[in-house]
């Protein structure tokens, strides 16, 4: 077994001194309990293989292997060395103050002995460590300290200590001013970190400074000797809270993927490692659990049934894969599927070289960057690799590469960029897109319009804004601020703390807040103060004005006027002079003449015109539907904003109803396929297609019309598909289609 885990003994002082504190402040023991819970939670979230033990001293109980009547009393091993789990978490929550004195050196000896017993004869431990929590207020005996230190060094055990203070305030001033303090990390403000609530809802404030007692001064000196001798570290409670408040992802051992890089006739053995990859913690994936007993296992049993009156279950052997082709599915067996797959072989071939400036950032594809180095076992090839990197670096070129992970993988196109820093020489591999991956957009040039050109004074103001908000030297110590390797993902931090608090206190509301704004509050406020004056100048020079845009025209009558209606009424009045003056008879005759005069679908009352033409039966149903389709596209294209969308929707719904009633679903279905492609095109109207989806106006299914070959699930997926171009390509179009359907496609 590889050495990849740590044995850690948590030694906690629960004596009287750890529970004493000033009113309004948390006791050292309370803060210790919170830190211990955060340590255990981090181990569990990381799925760490590290093993922990919990040892308490200063309590009423004695439970350790070294205890006798006079030695190692009031020291108890409450949790033996094993991986972190909720049992250990519960034991930490049960910690209560004790009233009996116990020797901290004896507690360290018990912890070291426990680590020795539990790890003896076992492999896989990369380190053994004792983590001591105390305020050094309890008496101790240091007569055998030298022997104990020699034993700790012999067993290679490191001792670290965490406490309220180690005397830095007296010697070095505020511990935040120490350059080596963890509080001076880029991107984290220690005061805000320690002030945020822990997963059990506690808010910690900096304890009131008190002078150290003689016993504490002696204890701190001895603890310093132990820590320094074993090459350990000292941390205050504030430092520990600041470091543990940030969730760390699971540590992944770097694994190399080996290739043979081929450059013409030259072959070089290389290794690739993941340098940057989008982190998606698996612990955040929701899983279904039994609400009444979350610890119970759930078995998922899935079945497939025919969607008909029989509702018969289909056995797994009766299923086969299939691809959607238009409104049907084409079955594909396993043999055919294997033949369809692209046949390749593992490779990493250099196709050629290009100027590094040609690799625009917009061409970077994928979520992973690989570091490429020469395989260490091939020293001669490593020299060739180094020479290649140096030559590419000097000439500012990149190598274009064809990469294929395995025979079953699709080939990739990428480029290698040389990297030389100090004594480290490597190349970075970044994936490039194929032609199908590119999306081209054409935007208007703002420089064409003269009023869009900024003045010299405006350019100078923006230049000053960039200077005042420059992060290159914004951090304390004049270092670069917000470096990616030091900024935590606020989403992951929030999820981590929320899950941890819900596990600890399931009935209390979540009161967590962990955003980049809070984690870097001081730094952000400093940058904002420096740039405020410049921002005020920007507001003065770049004035926003209300353009008083015209209100959208909502009706066809308001858009086209009522001239057509007036003309029709005038013609009807002229023709009706010979008829009776009875109002009822006149209206009936006028309506009959109006219907007889309609020969095409108009823009004012298209739905009524369409229905009248369908009733007349002349022209044919296909021709009338063509007119309606043409009108719908005209309304969409000529609409100012969404002013004519409502009328177009009414036309579509009417066309759908008529096609169902006349048993002609194919006309409407073909039209909607074209409409979706047109509305999703760059020159189309995506906002109109969104209205179609909201109204759930989909293809006519076989349940609505017996002549349709579209099943309901296909109609539902048709509206849910993200790319209309794909739907258009899959539409049942071929050279043998009717002339009417070809005319529909000509509309776009």
């Amino acid at each position: 077994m590889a050495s990849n885990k740590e044995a850690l003994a948590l030694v906690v002082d629960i004596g009287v001194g750890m529970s004493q504190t000033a009113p309004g402040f948390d006791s050292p023991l309370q803060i210790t309990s919170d830190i211990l819970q955060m340590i255990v939670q981090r181990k569990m979230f990381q799925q760490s293989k590290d093993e922990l033990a919990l040892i308490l001293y200063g309590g009423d109980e004695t439970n350790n292997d070294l205890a006798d009547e006079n030695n190692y009393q009031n020291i108890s091993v409450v949790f033996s060395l094993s991986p972190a789990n909720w049992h250990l978490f519960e034991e930490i929550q049960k910690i209560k103050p004790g009233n009996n004195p116990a020797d901290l050196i004896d507690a360290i000896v018990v912890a070291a002995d426990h680590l020795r017993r539990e790890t003896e004869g076992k492999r896989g431990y990369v380190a053994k460590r004792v983590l001591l929590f105390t305020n050094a207020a309890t008496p101790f005996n240091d007569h055998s300290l030298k022997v104990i230190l020699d034993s700790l060094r012999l067993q290679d055990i490191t001792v670290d200590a965490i406490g309220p203070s180690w005397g830095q305030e007296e010697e070095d001033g505020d511990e935040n001013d120490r350059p080596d303090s963890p509080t001076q990390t880029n991107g984290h403000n220690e005061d805000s970190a320690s002030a945020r609530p822990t997963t059990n809802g506690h808010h910690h404030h900096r304890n009131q400074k008190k002078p150290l007692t003689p016993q504490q001064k002696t204890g701190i000196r001895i603890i310093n000797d132990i820590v320094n001798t074993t090459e350990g570290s000292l941390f205050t409670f504030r430092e520990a809270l600041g470091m543990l408040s940030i969730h760390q992802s699971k540590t992944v051992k770097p694994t190399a993927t080996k290739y043979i890089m081929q450059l013409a006739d030259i072959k070089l053995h290389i290794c690739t490692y993941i340098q940057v990859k989008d982190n998606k913690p698996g612990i955040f994936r929701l899983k279904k659990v039994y609400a009444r007993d979350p610890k119970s296992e759930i078995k998922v049993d899935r079945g497939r049934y025919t969607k008909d009156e029989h509702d018969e279950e289909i056995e797994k052997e009766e299923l086969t894969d299939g691809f959607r082709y238009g409104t049907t599915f084409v079955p594909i067996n396993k043999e055919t599927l294997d033949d369809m797959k692209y046949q390749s072989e593992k490779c990493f071939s250099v196709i050629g070289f290009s100027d590094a400036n040609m690799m625009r950032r917009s061409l970077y594809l994928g979520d992973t960057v690989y570091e490429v180095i020469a395989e260490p076992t091939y020293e001669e090839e490593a020299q060739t690799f180094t020479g290649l990197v140096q030559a590419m670096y000097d000439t500012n070129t990149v190598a274009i590469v064809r990469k294929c992970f395995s025979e079953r993988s699709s080939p990739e196109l990428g480029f290698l960029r040389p990297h030389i820093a100090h004594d480290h020489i490597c190349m970075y591999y970044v994936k490039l897109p194929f032609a199908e991956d590119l999306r081209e957009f054409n935007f208007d040039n703002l420089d064409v319009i003269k009023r869009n050109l900024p003045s010299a004074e405006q350019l100078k103001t923006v230049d000053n804004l960039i200077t005042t908000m420059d992060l290159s030297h914004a951090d304390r110590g004049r270092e670069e601020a917000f470096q990616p390797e030091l900024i935590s993902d606020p989403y992951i931090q929030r999820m981590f703390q929320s899950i941890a608090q819900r596990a600890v206190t399931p009935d209390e509301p979540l009161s967590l807040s962990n955003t980049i704004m809070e984690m870097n509050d001081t730094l952000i406020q400093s940058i904002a103060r420096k740039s405020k004056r410049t921002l005020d100048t920007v507001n003065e020079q770049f004035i926003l004005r209300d353009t008083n845009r015209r209100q959208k025209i909502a009706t066809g009558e308001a858009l086209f006027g009522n001239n057509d209606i007036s003309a029709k009424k005038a013609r009807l009045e002229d023709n009706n002079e010979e008829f009776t003056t009875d109002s009822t008879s006149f209206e009936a005759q006028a309506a009959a003449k109006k219907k007889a005069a309609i020969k095409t679908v108009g823009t004012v009352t298209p739905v009524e015109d369409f229905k009248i033409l369908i009733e007349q039966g002349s022209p044919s149903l296909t021709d009338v539907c063509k007119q309606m389709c043409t009108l719908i596209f005209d309304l969409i294209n000529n609409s100012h904003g969404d002013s004519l969308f409502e009328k177009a929707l009414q036309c579509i719904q009417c066309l759908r109803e008529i096609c169902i009633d006349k048993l002609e679903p194919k006309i409407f279905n073909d039209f909607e396929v074209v409409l979706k492609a047109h509305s999703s095109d760059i020159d189309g109207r995506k906002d109109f297609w969104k209205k179609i989806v909201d109204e759930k106006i989909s293809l006519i299914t076989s349940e609505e019309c017996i002549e349709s070959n579209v099943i309901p699930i296909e109609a539902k997926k048709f509206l849910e598909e993200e790319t209309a171009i794909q739907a258009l390509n899959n539409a049942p179009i071929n050279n043998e289609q009717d002339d009417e359907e070809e005319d529909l496609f000509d509309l776009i």
Side-chain angles (χ1 to χ4, degrees):
M1 180 185 295
S3 299
N4 55 4
K5 61 182 177 180
E6 178 185 57
L8 175 62
L10 305 172
V11 181
V12 182
D13 180 4
I14 61 173
V16 178
M18 289 286 285
S19 58
Q20 295 177 348
T21 185
F25 294 91
D26 295 308
S27 67
L29 186 59
Q30 178 62 63
I31 301 176
T32 296
S33 176
D34 291 340
I35 293 175
L36 289 171
Q37 293 178 39
M38 295 167 76
I39 292 174
V40 175
Q41 288 172 356
R42 174 178 286 200
K43 296 293 185 183
M44 289 191 294
F45 271 95
Q46 289 179 328
Q47 301 178 353
S48 173
K49 297 180 181 179
D50 296 344
E51 297 182 2
L52 287 75
L54 179 61
I55 301 170
L56 307 179
Y57 73 95
D60 300 330
E61 297 181 1
T62 300
N63 179 22
N64 64 81
D65 295 328
L66 300 179
D68 55 28
E69 294 182 359
N70 300 319
N71 299 312
Y72 303 103
Q73 292 295 308
N74 303 323
I75 302 174
S76 178
V77 180
V78 297
F79 186 83
S80 299
L81 192 69
S82 60
N85 53 41
W86 283 110
H87 177 60
L88 172 58
F89 194 90
E90 293 170 353
E91 290 293 339
I92 293 173
Q93 289 183 310
K94 296 177 183 177
I95 293 178
K96 295 181 179 180
N99 298 315
N100 297 308
D103 194 321
L104 71 86
I105 295 180
D106 286 349
I108 293 176
V109 172
V110 170
D113 179 71
H114 183 73
L115 293 178
R116 179 187 61 81
R117 292 173 184 270
E118 295 296 326
T119 60
E120 193 172 24
K122 299 179 182 178
R123 301 174 59 187
Y125 294 96
V126 68
K128 289 179 287 185
R129 192 155 60 98
V130 173
L131 185 55
L132 176 66
F133 294 84
T134 182
N135 63 349
T138 56
F140 56 88
N141 186 345
D142 61 346
H143 295 315
S144 304
L145 181 59
K146 186 177 183 306
V147 177
I148 294 171
L149 293 177
D150 292 339
S151 177
L152 291 173
R153 282 198 301 265
L154 184 63
Q155 298 180 59
D156 198 18
I157 295 177
T158 302
V159 178
D160 299 322
I162 298 177
S165 169
W166 302 114
Q168 292 95 337
E169 289 87 354
E170 295 180 356
E171 300 172 8
D172 304 323
D174 190 353
E175 63 191 61
N176 245 5
D177 296 331
R178 293 161 49 200
D180 59 339
S181 171
T183 63
Q184 290 287 346
T185 56
N186 187 347
H188 302 291
N189 184 289
E190 172 58 33
D191 290 322
S192 63
S194 59
R196 287 196 302 271
T198 59
T199 52
N200 51 15
H202 292 134
H203 292 260
H204 297 298
H205 305 282
R206 189 170 183 181
N207 281 353
Q208 186 181 20
K209 291 184 180 180
K210 296 189 303 182
L212 298 176
T213 64
Q215 176 62 46
Q216 285 182 304
K217 292 180 180 179
T218 304
I220 289 174
R221 179 179 56 81
I222 296 300
I223 292 174
N224 268 288
D225 291 342
I226 297 174
V227 169
N228 293 333
T229 303
T230 60
E231 299 181 354
S233 302
L234 289 173
F235 302 99
T236 65
F237 284 148
R238 293 178 61 243
E239 292 172 341
L241 287 170
M243 291 183 289
L244 293 172
S245 64
I246 305 302
H247 166 62
Q248 285 185 339
S249 301
K250 180 181 178 181
T251 304
V252 180
K253 183 180 179 181
T255 304
T257 302
K258 298 182 179 181
Y259 295 93
I260 298 179
M261 184 170 71
Q262 187 162 355
L263 173 59
D265 296 333
I266 302 175
K267 294 184 179 181
L268 303 176
H269 289 77
I270 59 173
C271 299
T272 63
Y273 293 89
I274 294 177
Q275 178 73 14
V276 179
K277 186 175 179 63
D278 186 17
N279 185 25
K280 300 174 182 177
I283 194 168
F284 296 154
R285 297 171 189 163
L286 291 175
K287 298 177 177 60
K288 296 295 182 182
V289 297
Y290 187 35
R292 296 182 180 179
D293 184 10
K295 297 181 180 179
S296 301
E297 294 186 3
I298 297 178
K299 180 182 178 182
V300 179
D301 189 11
R302 297 180 180 178
R304 291 175 172 84
Y305 300 84
T306 58
K307 194 172 182 179
D308 52 21
E309 63 276 5
H310 301 294
D311 197 27
E312 297 180 356
E313 183 176 4
I314 303 175
E315 299 296 333
K316 185 177 180 180
E317 293 76 13
E318 301 179 41
L319 297 174
T320 184
D321 294 322
F323 286 99
R324 183 173 179 175
Y325 186 76
T327 58
T328 62
F329 287 92
V330 179
I332 303 293
N333 56 34
K334 188 177 184 304
E335 293 74 13
T336 306
L337 193 62
D338 293 338
D339 294 337
M340 291 171 59
K341 291 181 179 178
Y342 184 86
Q343 301 297 325
S344 183
E345 59 181 7
K346 184 173 183 177
C347 69
F348 199 97
S349 304
V350 176
I351 301 175
F353 296 90
S354 178
D355 189 345
N357 297 325
M358 296 293 291
M359 298 298 107
R360 303 191 307 273
R361 184 63 184 85
S362 58
L363 295 177
Y364 293 10
L365 192 67
D367 62 351
T368 308
V369 177
Y370 295 91
E371 181 175 329
V372 181
I373 62 173
E375 192 171 342
T377 54
Y378 296 86
E379 296 182 0
E380 294 183 358
E381 294 183 4
Q383 295 178 1
T384 306
F385 180 85
T386 303
L388 176 62
V389 175
Q390 186 66 55
M392 291 171 59
Y393 186 86
D394 294 339
T395 57
N396 193 33
T397 58
V398 296
I400 308 301
V401 176
R402 180 184 188 272
K403 172 178 170 287
C404 193
F405 179 73
S406 66
E407 295 180 355
R408 298 183 178 181
S409 303
S410 300
E412 294 180 3
L413 188 66
F415 72 92
L416 291 172
R417 184 184 296 277
H419 177 74
I420 299 178
H422 304 295
D423 57 346
H424 183 60
I425 296 179
C426 68
M427 287 191 280
Y428 290 127
Y429 171 83
V430 180
K431 187 178 178 181
L432 288 173
F434 289 106
E436 293 83 354
D437 302 321
L438 294 174
R439 301 290 185 270
E440 295 294 339
F441 300 99
N442 296 320
F443 300 103
D444 294 335
N445 190 354
L446 296 177
D447 295 341
V448 174
I449 304 175
K450 188 175 181 179
R451 66 172 180 269
N452 291 334
L453 296 177
S455 63
E457 188 178 0
Q458 289 176 328
L459 290 174
K460 183 178 179 181
T461 301
V462 175
D463 185 61
N464 292 336
L465 179 64
I466 295 173
T467 303
T468 56
M469 299 187 70
D470 186 9
L471 301 178
S472 301
H473 306 288
D475 197 9
R476 290 175 292 185
R478 306 298 295 170
E479 295 181 357
E480 182 181 354
F482 297 105
Q483 298 183 36
E485 60 269 21
L486 299 176
I487 296 296
S488 300
D489 187 336
Y491 171 79
I492 293 178
Q493 300 304 319
R494 170 74 182 185
M495 291 293 292
F496 160 70
Q497 291 193 351
S498 299
I499 295 173
Q501 181 173 334
R502 179 56 66 238
V504 178
T505 55
D507 299 327
E508 295 184 8
L510 292 175
S511 59
L512 297 172
S513 181
N514 192 354
T515 64
I516 287 203
M517 289 294 292
E518 291 182 348
M519 294 166 60
N520 307 277
D521 185 59
T522 303
L523 181 57
I524 292 177
Q525 290 181 2
S526 174
I527 297 172
R529 284 194 299 268
K530 289 193 299 182
S531 58
K532 184 179 184 306
R533 181 178 299 178
T534 309
L535 285 171
D536 293 339
T537 306
V538 170
N539 291 331
E540 294 173 359
Q541 295 185 359
F542 294 88
I543 301 175
L544 298 179
R545 297 183 178 88
D546 189 358
T547 58
N548 294 323
R549 296 182 62 183
R550 293 181 301 173
Q551 294 183 351
K552 297 179 179 178
I553 302 175
T555 63
E557 182 178 353
L559 179 64
F560 298 107
N562 56 2
N563 295 331
D564 293 343
I565 299 177
S566 301
K568 287 184 179 181
K569 286 183 178 180
R571 288 195 301 270
L572 289 173
E573 289 174 359
D574 293 339
N575 295 332
N576 288 335
E577 288 179 357
E578 60 190 56
F579 294 106
T580 178
T581 57
D582 182 75
S583 60
T584 304
S585 177
F586 175 81
E587 291 175 1
Q589 295 178 21
K593 276 190 163 292
K594 180 179 179 181
K595 288 184 178 180
I598 295 176
K599 299 299 181 182
T600 59
V601 179
T603 58
V604 179
T605 56
V607 174
E608 291 77 3
D609 294 350
F610 180 66
K611 290 181 178 179
I612 291 173
L613 292 174
I614 293 296
E615 291 176 0
Q616 293 176 352
S618 178
S620 66
L621 174 66
T622 303
D623 293 335
V624 177
C625 289
K626 281 185 188 179
Q627 294 180 25
M628 192 61 156
C629 294
T630 304
L631 176 67
I632 292 172
F633 280 114
D634 290 339
L635 291 174
I636 297 173
N637 294 332
N638 298 329
S639 175
H640 294 271
D642 59 354
S643 59
L644 298 180
F645 284 2
E646 190 63 30
K647 179 177 286 190
L649 282 175
Q650 294 175 2
C651 294
I652 292 175
Q653 291 172 338
C654 179
L655 176 64
R656 193 177 191 276
E657 293 171 0
I658 294 298
C659 288
I660 294 175
D661 184 60
K662 299 298 182 181
L663 299 180
E664 290 290 344
K666 190 174 186 300
I667 294 177
F668 179 84
N669 290 347
D670 293 341
F671 160 74
E672 191 166 24
V673 171
V674 179
L675 174 64
K676 182 177 181 180
H678 176 65
S679 299
S680 299
D681 188 76
I682 189 63
D683 296 326
R685 304 300 295 269
K686 297 180 181 179
D687 42 358
F688 178 76
W689 180 252
K690 186 177 184 300
K691 288 184 175 291
I692 294 285
V693 176
D694 293 340
E695 295 293 333
K696 297 182 179 179
I697 305 176
S698 187
L699 303 174
I700 298 175
T701 65
S702 55
E703 292 183 353
E704 299 173 288
C705 181
I706 193 173
E707 293 295 329
S708 175
N709 60 351
V710 179
I711 61 177
I713 190 173
E714 292 177 342
K716 183 179 179 181
K717 289 182 179 179
F718 177 77
L719 291 180
E720 295 175 352
E721 288 177 347
E722 296 181 358
T723 57
I725 301 302
Q726 180 181 359
L728 181 62
N729 293 335
N730 291 335
I733 303 173
N734 53 57
N735 296 330
E736 298 178 1
Q737 285 183 308
D738 298 333
D739 294 336
E740 294 82 4
E741 188 175 343
E742 293 177 356
D743 291 339
L744 281 175
F745 282 90
D746 290 337
L747 291 176
I748 64 170

